């Protein structure tokens, strides 16, 4: 009798470990979206967007600057490899040329990207079925890339012109580009930039997010910092490798200046294939994979850690606010 009673004492079915993990994960994702302005209401209000945007701006800016400062020499070598024609020599001097000016552009560009990505991702995840989460990540990455391109393209143009020793300082680069090529000179290669970066951003963040979700479900816990770095490195290296030809085209168009050696994306591809052969489209793949692989580990590591710090700070503020009330 006691055995039967103990088995039937509650009508609630026992949840599996995966169900409990899923419940904990879903509940733990509610707090980060609650800004101080919405604590009292507890409703899903438009302020959630501003909260996600704020966190994304801070975390993205910090991650972008950290990666760029740490790995700039590898990026410089990659750029010089890509612009060198057959038989050209690679100069290894001045590997930090243009770093200061580039950081001034990377900070707002990275801030805008993650600031747009985070709330867009959250909205799409809520709007789409759970089995289409990859589509949400792809779409959010592409939208964020388009939004940040307004700042990223001029930054990239100035950086690569300085990496190839065309100018001695960022202010001089901007002034002379405007004088010789006009405002459109700062957006040289804009089409090729979007052709490279929209799929790059979409695929990299999709791979990272999907691997992160899968790992959390398999391990039944949150990821630690080394695991986040490992997944970020893998996502960056894979995406960097497959988008190398697009990066070569973008680089050639951005650094050509007023010479107009290439009349557009198609002409650039045709000229490279005719004069240098298809292997030229894969120039710099080694430094690029190394740079973006290491950069991915640093970027996502700093990004997630900064987001966690902001979340903990917000919770402390909410706790103090509730105590005062």
């Amino acid at each position: 009798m006691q055995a039967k009673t103990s088995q039937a004492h509650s009508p609630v079915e026992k949840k599996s470990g995966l169900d409990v993990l899923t419940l904990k994960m879903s509940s733990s994702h509610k707090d980060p979206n609650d800004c101080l302005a919405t604590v009292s209401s507890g409703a899903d209000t438009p302020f959630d967007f501003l909260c996600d945007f704020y966190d994304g701006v801070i975390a993205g800016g910090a991650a972008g600057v950290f990666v760029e400062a740490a790995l700039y020499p590898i990026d410089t070598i990659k750029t010089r490899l890509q612009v060198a024609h057959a038989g050209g020599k690679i100069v290894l001097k001045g590997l930090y040329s243009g770093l200061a000016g580039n950081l001034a552009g990377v900070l707002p560009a990275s801030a805008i990207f993650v600031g747009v990505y985070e709330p867009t991702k959250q909205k799409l995840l809520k709007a789409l079925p759970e089995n289409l989460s990859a589509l949400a990540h792809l779409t959010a990455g592409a939208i964020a890339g388009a939004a940040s391109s307004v700042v990223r393209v001029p930054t990239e143009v100035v950086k690569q012109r300085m990496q190839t020793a065309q100018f001695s300082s960022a202010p001089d680069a901007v002034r002379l580009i405007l004088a010789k090529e006009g405002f459109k000179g700062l957006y040289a290669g804009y089409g090729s930039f979007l052709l490279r970066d929209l799929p790059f951003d979409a695929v990299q963040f999709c791979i990272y997010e999907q691997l992160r979700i899968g790992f959390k479900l398999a391990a039944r816990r949150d990821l630690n910092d080394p695991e986040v770095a490992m997944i970020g490195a893998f996502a960056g290296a894979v995406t960097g490798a497959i988008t190398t030809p697009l990066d070569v085209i973008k680089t050639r168009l951005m650094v050509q200046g007023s010479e107009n050696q290439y009349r557009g994306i198609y002409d650039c591809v045709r000229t490279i294939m005719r004069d240098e052969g298809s292997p030229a489209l894969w120039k710099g793949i080694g430094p690029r994979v190394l740079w973006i692989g290491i950069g991915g580990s640093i970027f996502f590591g700093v990004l997630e850690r900064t987001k966690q710090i902001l979340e903990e700070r917000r919770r402390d503020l909410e706790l103090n606010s509730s105590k005062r009330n």
Side-chain angles (χ1 to χ4, degrees):
M1 285 292 293
Q2 288 181 345
K4 290 183 179 179
T5 303
S6 63
Q7 290 176 359
H9 77 283
S10 174
V12 179
E13 295 182 2
K14 185 178 180 180
K15 292 182 178 292
S16 66
L18 183 58
D19 291 333
V20 173
L21 175 69
T22 304
L23 181 61
K24 288 181 178 180
M25 288 172 60
S26 61
S27 62
S28 67
H29 286 166
K30 293 179 182 178
D31 289 339
N33 292 330
D34 296 330
C35 266
L36 294 178
T38 62
V39 171
S40 59
S41 65
D44 185 16
T45 70
F47 286 101
D48 288 341
F49 176 90
L50 297 178
C51 187
D52 288 338
F53 179 79
Y54 172 79
D55 283 0
V57 163
I58 295 177
V65 168
F66 202 99
V67 171
E68 200 69 21
L71 303 177
Y72 195 79
I74 301 177
D75 182 36
T76 300
I77 294 172
K78 183 270 301 181
T79 298
R80 291 176 181 176
L81 281 171
Q82 290 180 341
V83 300
H85 294 273
K89 295 182 179 181
I90 307 301
V91 179
L92 295 180
K93 294 181 180 180
L95 295 181
Y96 280 95
S97 179
L99 175 61
N102 189 53
L103 291 180
V106 166
L107 176 59
S110 298
I112 291 171
F113 180 91
V114 183
V116 172
Y117 175 80
E118 287 294 335
T120 303
K121 176 186 72 174
Q122 295 299 334
K123 293 298 182 183
L124 289 172
L125 287 174
K126 290 180 181 179
L128 295 173
E130 186 176 352
N131 61 346
L132 293 180
S133 63
L135 178 60
H137 297 139
L138 281 168
T139 305
I143 292 173
S148 63
S149 67
V150 177
V151 177
R152 290 166 74 183
V153 172
T155 301
E156 190 83 354
V157 168
V158 172
K159 177 190 75 173
Q160 295 195 325
R161 300 279 182 95
M162 293 189 66
Q163 287 176 330
T164 53
Q166 295 185 32
F167 304 105
S168 58
S169 68
D172 285 344
V174 173
R175 178 174 57 82
L176 292 172
I177 289 172
L178 289 174
K180 293 181 179 180
E181 306 168 49
F183 185 75
K184 67 178 183 180
L186 292 174
Y187 285 88
Y190 186 72
S192 63
F193 180 90
L194 294 181
L195 180 66
R196 182 202 69 171
D197 270 47
L198 295 192
F200 176 88
D201 293 332
V203 172
Q204 182 186 31
F205 273 76
C206 181
I207 291 176
Y208 169 76
E209 297 277 16
Q210 292 298 307
L211 287 176
R212 187 164 171 262
I213 291 172
F215 190 99
K216 290 177 72 172
L217 289 175
R220 299 175 182 270
R221 61 174 173 79
D222 287 331
L223 280 68
N224 56 39
D225 291 344
E227 291 163 345
V228 169
M230 178 183 66
I231 292 176
F234 179 81
V238 171
T239 312
I242 63 178
T243 57
T244 296
L246 301 177
D247 188 50
V248 171
I249 296 167
K250 184 271 307 177
T251 299
R252 292 288 183 95
L253 289 172
M254 280 188 169
V255 302
Q256 67 177 336
S258 57
E259 296 178 2
N260 289 326
Q261 180 182 0
Y262 310 109
R263 293 190 297 272
I265 296 174
Y266 175 75
D267 183 60
C268 181
V269 174
R270 185 182 61 179
T271 303
I272 291 174
M273 293 287 289
R274 182 192 65 212
D275 297 343
E276 305 170 63
S278 58
L281 292 173
W282 297 94
K283 280 187 174 182
I285 186 172
R288 178 171 168 79
V289 170
L290 179 64
W291 168 50
I292 299 179
I294 299 175
S297 68
I298 297 174
F299 181 87
F300 287 109
V302 174
L303 180 70
E304 297 298 341
R305 174 56 62 183
T306 306
K307 286 163 62 178
Q308 183 179 349
I309 292 172
L310 292 171
E311 178 184 340
E312 291 173 353
R313 179 177 177 273
R314 181 178 302 130
R315 286 177 175 174
D316 290 341
L317 291 173
E318 291 173 358
L319 181 60
N320 293 335
S321 177
S322 63
K323 287 180 177 180
R324 286 196 298 269
N325 294 333

PDB file of all heavy atoms in Angstrom, residues 37-69:
ATOM      1  N   ALA A  37      14.422  50.274 -16.449  1.00  0.00           N
ATOM      2  CA  ALA A  37      13.192  50.999 -16.719  1.00  0.00           C
ATOM      3  C   ALA A  37      11.985  50.090 -16.779  1.00  0.00           C
ATOM      4  O   ALA A  37      10.847  50.550 -16.706  1.00  0.00           O
ATOM      5  CB  ALA A  37      13.316  51.770 -18.035  1.00  0.00           C
ATOM      6  N   THR A  38      12.190  48.773 -16.932  1.00  0.00           N
ATOM      7  CA  THR A  38      11.058  47.864 -17.074  1.00  0.00           C
ATOM      8  C   THR A  38      10.955  46.878 -15.922  1.00  0.00           C
ATOM      9  O   THR A  38      10.167  45.947 -15.977  1.00  0.00           O
ATOM     10  CB  THR A  38      11.202  47.061 -18.377  1.00  0.00           C
ATOM     11  OG1 THR A  38      12.397  46.275 -18.292  1.00  0.00           O
ATOM     12  CG2 THR A  38      11.273  47.956 -19.580  1.00  0.00           C
ATOM     13  N   VAL A  39      11.729  47.093 -14.862  1.00  0.00           N
ATOM     14  CA  VAL A  39      11.721  46.159 -13.738  1.00  0.00           C
ATOM     15  C   VAL A  39      10.357  46.128 -13.060  1.00  0.00           C
ATOM     16  O   VAL A  39       9.831  45.077 -12.713  1.00  0.00           O
ATOM     17  CB  VAL A  39      12.808  46.548 -12.709  1.00  0.00           C
ATOM     18  CG1 VAL A  39      12.653  45.722 -11.446  1.00  0.00           C
ATOM     19  CG2 VAL A  39      14.181  46.353 -13.289  1.00  0.00           C
ATOM     20  N   SER A  40       9.779  47.316 -12.887  1.00  0.00           N
ATOM     21  CA  SER A  40       8.521  47.386 -12.162  1.00  0.00           C
ATOM     22  C   SER A  40       7.368  46.763 -12.926  1.00  0.00           C
ATOM     23  O   SER A  40       6.476  46.158 -12.343  1.00  0.00           O
ATOM     24  CB  SER A  40       8.187  48.852 -11.845  1.00  0.00           C
ATOM     25  OG  SER A  40       8.102  49.602 -13.040  1.00  0.00           O
ATOM     26  N   SER A  41       7.375  46.894 -14.254  1.00  0.00           N
ATOM     27  CA  SER A  41       6.268  46.370 -15.040  1.00  0.00           C
ATOM     28  C   SER A  41       6.422  44.893 -15.329  1.00  0.00           C
ATOM     29  O   SER A  41       5.454  44.150 -15.372  1.00  0.00           O
ATOM     30  CB  SER A  41       6.155  47.139 -16.368  1.00  0.00           C
ATOM     31  OG  SER A  41       7.289  46.908 -17.158  1.00  0.00           O
ATOM     32  N   GLY A  42       7.672  44.450 -15.585  1.00  0.00           N
ATOM     33  CA  GLY A  42       7.933  43.046 -15.907  1.00  0.00           C
ATOM     34  C   GLY A  42       7.379  42.634 -17.243  1.00  0.00           C
ATOM     35  O   GLY A  42       7.333  41.472 -17.590  1.00  0.00           O
ATOM     36  N   ALA A  43       6.953  43.581 -18.063  1.00  0.00           N
ATOM     37  CA  ALA A  43       6.350  43.272 -19.361  1.00  0.00           C
ATOM     38  C   ALA A  43       7.383  43.377 -20.451  1.00  0.00           C
ATOM     39  O   ALA A  43       8.418  44.013 -20.304  1.00  0.00           O
ATOM     40  CB  ALA A  43       5.196  44.238 -19.640  1.00  0.00           C
ATOM     41  N   ASP A  44       7.072  42.738 -21.583  1.00  0.00           N
ATOM     42  CA  ASP A  44       7.954  42.813 -22.746  1.00  0.00           C
ATOM     43  C   ASP A  44       7.640  44.109 -23.483  1.00  0.00           C
ATOM     44  O   ASP A  44       6.702  44.195 -24.263  1.00  0.00           O
ATOM     45  CB  ASP A  44       7.713  41.609 -23.648  1.00  0.00           C
ATOM     46  CG  ASP A  44       8.687  41.587 -24.815  1.00  0.00           C
ATOM     47  OD1 ASP A  44       9.697  42.311 -24.746  1.00  0.00           O
ATOM     48  OD2 ASP A  44       8.419  40.837 -25.776  1.00  0.00           O
ATOM     49  N   THR A  45       8.385  45.150 -23.202  1.00  0.00           N
ATOM     50  CA  THR A  45       8.124  46.480 -23.729  1.00  0.00           C
ATOM     51  C   THR A  45       9.193  46.853 -24.732  1.00  0.00           C
ATOM     52  O   THR A  45      10.229  46.196 -24.822  1.00  0.00           O
ATOM     53  CB  THR A  45       8.108  47.523 -22.595  1.00  0.00           C
ATOM     54  OG1 THR A  45       9.458  47.664 -22.117  1.00  0.00           O
ATOM     55  CG2 THR A  45       7.201  47.084 -21.453  1.00  0.00           C
ATOM     56  N   PRO A  46       8.980  47.975 -25.474  1.00  0.00           N
ATOM     57  CA  PRO A  46       9.996  48.418 -26.422  1.00  0.00           C
ATOM     58  C   PRO A  46      11.337  48.727 -25.768  1.00  0.00           C
ATOM     59  O   PRO A  46      12.355  48.767 -26.427  1.00  0.00           O
ATOM     60  CB  PRO A  46       9.366  49.679 -27.027  1.00  0.00           C
ATOM     61  CG  PRO A  46       7.892  49.454 -26.915  1.00  0.00           C
ATOM     62  CD  PRO A  46       7.719  48.717 -25.617  1.00  0.00           C
ATOM     63  N   PHE A  47      11.357  48.958 -24.437  1.00  0.00           N
ATOM     64  CA  PHE A  47      12.616  49.255 -23.774  1.00  0.00           C
ATOM     65  C   PHE A  47      13.567  48.065 -23.784  1.00  0.00           C
ATOM     66  O   PHE A  47      14.743  48.215 -23.566  1.00  0.00           O
ATOM     67  CB  PHE A  47      12.358  49.709 -22.323  1.00  0.00           C
ATOM     68  CG  PHE A  47      11.815  51.098 -22.219  1.00  0.00           C
ATOM     69  CD1 PHE A  47      10.471  51.312 -22.005  1.00  0.00           C
ATOM     70  CD2 PHE A  47      12.652  52.194 -22.363  1.00  0.00           C
ATOM     71  CE1 PHE A  47       9.970  52.591 -21.920  1.00  0.00           C
ATOM     72  CE2 PHE A  47      12.156  53.484 -22.277  1.00  0.00           C
ATOM     73  CZ  PHE A  47      10.803  53.689 -22.060  1.00  0.00           C
ATOM     74  N   ASP A  48      13.037  46.865 -23.996  1.00  0.00           N
ATOM     75  CA  ASP A  48      13.893  45.691 -24.098  1.00  0.00           C
ATOM     76  C   ASP A  48      14.872  45.844 -25.260  1.00  0.00           C
ATOM     77  O   ASP A  48      16.011  45.409 -25.176  1.00  0.00           O
ATOM     78  CB  ASP A  48      13.057  44.424 -24.290  1.00  0.00           C
ATOM     79  CG  ASP A  48      12.316  44.015 -23.022  1.00  0.00           C
ATOM     80  OD1 ASP A  48      12.707  44.461 -21.938  1.00  0.00           O
ATOM     81  OD2 ASP A  48      11.362  43.258 -23.149  1.00  0.00           O
ATOM     82  N   PHE A  49      14.409  46.419 -26.346  1.00  0.00           N
ATOM     83  CA  PHE A  49      15.271  46.647 -27.507  1.00  0.00           C
ATOM     84  C   PHE A  49      16.430  47.565 -27.121  1.00  0.00           C
ATOM     85  O   PHE A  49      17.580  47.311 -27.448  1.00  0.00           O
ATOM     86  CB  PHE A  49      14.470  47.259 -28.650  1.00  0.00           C
ATOM     87  CG  PHE A  49      15.301  47.611 -29.853  1.00  0.00           C
ATOM     88  CD1 PHE A  49      15.504  46.686 -30.860  1.00  0.00           C
ATOM     89  CD2 PHE A  49      15.895  48.862 -29.977  1.00  0.00           C
ATOM     90  CE1 PHE A  49      16.282  46.992 -31.974  1.00  0.00           C
ATOM     91  CE2 PHE A  49      16.676  49.180 -31.069  1.00  0.00           C
ATOM     92  CZ  PHE A  49      16.864  48.244 -32.069  1.00  0.00           C
ATOM     93  N   LEU A  50      16.106  48.652 -26.416  1.00  0.00           N
ATOM     94  CA  LEU A  50      17.138  49.594 -26.016  1.00  0.00           C
ATOM     95  C   LEU A  50      18.133  48.951 -25.064  1.00  0.00           C
ATOM     96  O   LEU A  50      19.333  49.232 -25.103  1.00  0.00           O
ATOM     97  CB  LEU A  50      16.495  50.830 -25.363  1.00  0.00           C
ATOM     98  CG  LEU A  50      15.582  51.657 -26.258  1.00  0.00           C
ATOM     99  CD1 LEU A  50      14.982  52.813 -25.471  1.00  0.00           C
ATOM    100  CD2 LEU A  50      16.349  52.186 -27.463  1.00  0.00           C
ATOM    101  N   CYS A  51      17.623  48.066 -24.213  1.00  0.00           N
ATOM    102  CA  CYS A  51      18.489  47.380 -23.260  1.00  0.00           C
ATOM    103  C   CYS A  51      19.467  46.457 -23.986  1.00  0.00           C
ATOM    104  O   CYS A  51      20.667  46.461 -23.708  1.00  0.00           O
ATOM    105  CB  CYS A  51      17.632  46.583 -22.287  1.00  0.00           C
ATOM    106  SG  CYS A  51      18.545  45.844 -20.937  1.00  0.00           S
ATOM    107  N   ASP A  52      18.964  45.648 -24.915  1.00  0.00           N
ATOM    108  CA  ASP A  52      19.820  44.752 -25.692  1.00  0.00           C
ATOM    109  C   ASP A  52      20.800  45.546 -26.540  1.00  0.00           C
ATOM    110  O   ASP A  52      21.959  45.158 -26.697  1.00  0.00           O
ATOM    111  CB  ASP A  52      18.965  43.846 -26.588  1.00  0.00           C
ATOM    112  CG  ASP A  52      18.219  42.793 -25.788  1.00  0.00           C
ATOM    113  OD1 ASP A  52      18.651  42.485 -24.669  1.00  0.00           O
ATOM    114  OD2 ASP A  52      17.212  42.273 -26.291  1.00  0.00           O
ATOM    115  N   PHE A  53      20.335  46.649 -27.100  1.00  0.00           N
ATOM    116  CA  PHE A  53      21.201  47.502 -27.918  1.00  0.00           C
ATOM    117  C   PHE A  53      22.338  48.082 -27.071  1.00  0.00           C
ATOM    118  O   PHE A  53      23.496  48.083 -27.484  1.00  0.00           O
ATOM    119  CB  PHE A  53      20.384  48.630 -28.546  1.00  0.00           C
ATOM    120  CG  PHE A  53      21.202  49.583 -29.382  1.00  0.00           C
ATOM    121  CD1 PHE A  53      21.585  49.246 -30.668  1.00  0.00           C
ATOM    122  CD2 PHE A  53      21.596  50.817 -28.877  1.00  0.00           C
ATOM    123  CE1 PHE A  53      22.347  50.115 -31.439  1.00  0.00           C
ATOM    124  CE2 PHE A  53      22.357  51.693 -29.637  1.00  0.00           C
ATOM    125  CZ  PHE A  53      22.724  51.340 -30.920  1.00  0.00           C
ATOM    126  N   TYR A  54      21.992  48.539 -25.871  1.00  0.00           N
ATOM    127  CA  TYR A  54      22.990  49.116 -24.969  1.00  0.00           C
ATOM    128  C   TYR A  54      24.060  48.096 -24.610  1.00  0.00           C
ATOM    129  O   TYR A  54      25.261  48.370 -24.701  1.00  0.00           O
ATOM    130  CB  TYR A  54      22.286  49.620 -23.708  1.00  0.00           C
ATOM    131  CG  TYR A  54      23.218  50.062 -22.606  1.00  0.00           C
ATOM    132  CD1 TYR A  54      23.854  51.305 -22.640  1.00  0.00           C
ATOM    133  CD2 TYR A  54      23.461  49.236 -21.508  1.00  0.00           C
ATOM    134  CE1 TYR A  54      24.707  51.700 -21.627  1.00  0.00           C
ATOM    135  CE2 TYR A  54      24.309  49.626 -20.490  1.00  0.00           C
ATOM    136  CZ  TYR A  54      24.928  50.861 -20.549  1.00  0.00           C
ATOM    137  OH  TYR A  54      25.768  51.241 -19.542  1.00  0.00           O
ATOM    138  N   ASP A  55      23.632  46.906 -24.225  1.00  0.00           N
ATOM    139  CA  ASP A  55      24.587  45.848 -23.874  1.00  0.00           C
ATOM    140  C   ASP A  55      25.444  45.470 -25.083  1.00  0.00           C
ATOM    141  O   ASP A  55      26.652  45.246 -24.959  1.00  0.00           O
ATOM    142  CB  ASP A  55      23.849  44.605 -23.374  1.00  0.00           C
ATOM    143  CG  ASP A  55      23.354  44.769 -21.944  1.00  0.00           C
ATOM    144  OD1 ASP A  55      23.585  45.841 -21.363  1.00  0.00           O
ATOM    145  OD2 ASP A  55      22.720  43.832 -21.421  1.00  0.00           O
ATOM    146  N   GLY A  56      24.808  45.373 -26.247  1.00  0.00           N
ATOM    147  CA  GLY A  56      25.529  45.011 -27.454  1.00  0.00           C
ATOM    148  C   GLY A  56      26.569  46.046 -27.841  1.00  0.00           C
ATOM    149  O   GLY A  56      27.671  45.702 -28.278  1.00  0.00           O
ATOM    150  N   VAL A  57      26.231  47.319 -27.695  1.00  0.00           N
ATOM    151  CA  VAL A  57      27.158  48.399 -28.036  1.00  0.00           C
ATOM    152  C   VAL A  57      28.408  48.326 -27.171  1.00  0.00           C
ATOM    153  O   VAL A  57      29.541  48.402 -27.671  1.00  0.00           O
ATOM    154  CB  VAL A  57      26.468  49.773 -27.872  1.00  0.00           C
ATOM    155  CG1 VAL A  57      27.492  50.900 -27.821  1.00  0.00           C
ATOM    156  CG2 VAL A  57      25.500  50.018 -29.017  1.00  0.00           C
ATOM    157  N   ILE A  58      28.225  48.151 -25.882  1.00  0.00           N
ATOM    158  CA  ILE A  58      29.372  48.102 -24.968  1.00  0.00           C
ATOM    159  C   ILE A  58      30.204  46.840 -25.206  1.00  0.00           C
ATOM    160  O   ILE A  58      31.427  46.892 -25.362  1.00  0.00           O
ATOM    161  CB  ILE A  58      28.908  48.159 -23.502  1.00  0.00           C
ATOM    162  CG1 ILE A  58      28.246  49.508 -23.221  1.00  0.00           C
ATOM    163  CG2 ILE A  58      30.080  47.934 -22.559  1.00  0.00           C
ATOM    164  CD1 ILE A  58      27.696  49.637 -21.818  1.00  0.00           C
ATOM    165  N   ALA A  59      29.533  45.684 -25.251  1.00  0.00           N
ATOM    166  CA  ALA A  59      30.250  44.421 -25.429  1.00  0.00           C
ATOM    167  C   ALA A  59      30.915  44.344 -26.798  1.00  0.00           C
ATOM    168  O   ALA A  59      32.062  43.893 -26.918  1.00  0.00           O
ATOM    169  CB  ALA A  59      29.288  43.251 -25.246  1.00  0.00           C
ATOM    170  N   GLY A  60      30.217  44.776 -27.841  1.00  0.00           N
ATOM    171  CA  GLY A  60      30.776  44.742 -29.189  1.00  0.00           C
ATOM    172  C   GLY A  60      31.953  45.670 -29.347  1.00  0.00           C
ATOM    173  O   GLY A  60      32.969  45.311 -29.968  1.00  0.00           O
ATOM    174  N   GLY A  61      31.847  46.874 -28.804  1.00  0.00           N
ATOM    175  CA  GLY A  61      32.950  47.819 -28.885  1.00  0.00           C
ATOM    176  C   GLY A  61      34.196  47.303 -28.193  1.00  0.00           C
ATOM    177  O   GLY A  61      35.308  47.378 -28.718  1.00  0.00           O
ATOM    178  N   ALA A  62      34.015  46.733 -26.992  1.00  0.00           N
ATOM    179  CA  ALA A  62      35.147  46.191 -26.239  1.00  0.00           C
ATOM    180  C   ALA A  62      35.789  45.032 -26.985  1.00  0.00           C
ATOM    181  O   ALA A  62      37.025  44.958 -27.114  1.00  0.00           O
ATOM    182  CB  ALA A  62      34.683  45.741 -24.853  1.00  0.00           C
ATOM    183  N   ALA A  63      34.981  44.123 -27.495  1.00  0.00           N
ATOM    184  CA  ALA A  63      35.510  42.943 -28.191  1.00  0.00           C
ATOM    185  C   ALA A  63      36.235  43.341 -29.469  1.00  0.00           C
ATOM    186  O   ALA A  63      37.320  42.819 -29.774  1.00  0.00           O
ATOM    187  CB  ALA A  63      34.376  41.970 -28.505  1.00  0.00           C
ATOM    188  N   GLY A  64      35.654  44.254 -30.237  1.00  0.00           N
ATOM    189  CA  GLY A  64      36.258  44.674 -31.502  1.00  0.00           C
ATOM    190  C   GLY A  64      37.608  45.328 -31.311  1.00  0.00           C
ATOM    191  O   GLY A  64      38.575  45.020 -32.026  1.00  0.00           O
ATOM    192  N   VAL A  65      37.712  46.235 -30.351  1.00  0.00           N
ATOM    193  CA  VAL A  65      38.975  46.933 -30.095  1.00  0.00           C
ATOM    194  C   VAL A  65      40.033  45.965 -29.590  1.00  0.00           C
ATOM    195  O   VAL A  65      41.210  46.024 -29.995  1.00  0.00           O
ATOM    196  CB  VAL A  65      38.754  48.066 -29.071  1.00  0.00           C
ATOM    197  CG1 VAL A  65      40.090  48.602 -28.573  1.00  0.00           C
ATOM    198  CG2 VAL A  65      37.952  49.203 -29.709  1.00  0.00           C
ATOM    199  N   PHE A  66      39.648  45.050 -28.723  1.00  0.00           N
ATOM    200  CA  PHE A  66      40.598  44.084 -28.161  1.00  0.00           C
ATOM    201  C   PHE A  66      41.198  43.221 -29.266  1.00  0.00           C
ATOM    202  O   PHE A  66      42.415  43.008 -29.319  1.00  0.00           O
ATOM    203  CB  PHE A  66      39.877  43.206 -27.133  1.00  0.00           C
ATOM    204  CG  PHE A  66      40.808  42.559 -26.145  1.00  0.00           C
ATOM    205  CD1 PHE A  66      40.984  43.102 -24.884  1.00  0.00           C
ATOM    206  CD2 PHE A  66      41.506  41.410 -26.477  1.00  0.00           C
ATOM    207  CE1 PHE A  66      41.845  42.516 -23.975  1.00  0.00           C
ATOM    208  CE2 PHE A  66      42.360  40.808 -25.577  1.00  0.00           C
ATOM    209  CZ  PHE A  66      42.535  41.357 -24.317  1.00  0.00           C
ATOM    210  N   VAL A  67      40.350  42.706 -30.165  1.00  0.00           N
ATOM    211  CA  VAL A  67      40.825  41.850 -31.251  1.00  0.00           C
ATOM    212  C   VAL A  67      41.730  42.621 -32.202  1.00  0.00           C
ATOM    213  O   VAL A  67      42.809  42.152 -32.593  1.00  0.00           O
ATOM    214  CB  VAL A  67      39.641  41.251 -32.032  1.00  0.00           C
ATOM    215  CG1 VAL A  67      40.121  40.549 -33.296  1.00  0.00           C
ATOM    216  CG2 VAL A  67      38.880  40.269 -31.157  1.00  0.00           C
ATOM    217  N   GLU A  68      41.308  43.815 -32.591  1.00  0.00           N
ATOM    218  CA  GLU A  68      42.067  44.587 -33.576  1.00  0.00           C
ATOM    219  C   GLU A  68      43.447  44.946 -33.050  1.00  0.00           C
ATOM    220  O   GLU A  68      44.449  44.843 -33.769  1.00  0.00           O
ATOM    221  CB  GLU A  68      41.293  45.858 -33.926  1.00  0.00           C
ATOM    222  CG  GLU A  68      41.709  46.495 -35.230  1.00  0.00           C
ATOM    223  CD  GLU A  68      41.319  45.657 -36.444  1.00  0.00           C
ATOM    224  OE1 GLU A  68      40.402  44.812 -36.319  1.00  0.00           O
ATOM    225  OE2 GLU A  68      41.937  45.850 -37.511  1.00  0.00           O
ATOM    226  N   ALA A  69      43.519  45.351 -31.788  1.00  0.00           N
ATOM    227  CA  ALA A  69      44.803  45.735 -31.206  1.00  0.00           C
ATOM    228  C   ALA A  69      45.740  44.541 -31.086  1.00  0.00           C
ATOM    229  O   ALA A  69      46.951  44.655 -31.319  1.00  0.00           O
ATOM    230  CB  ALA A  69      44.586  46.367 -29.832  1.00  0.00           C
TER     231      ALA A  69
END
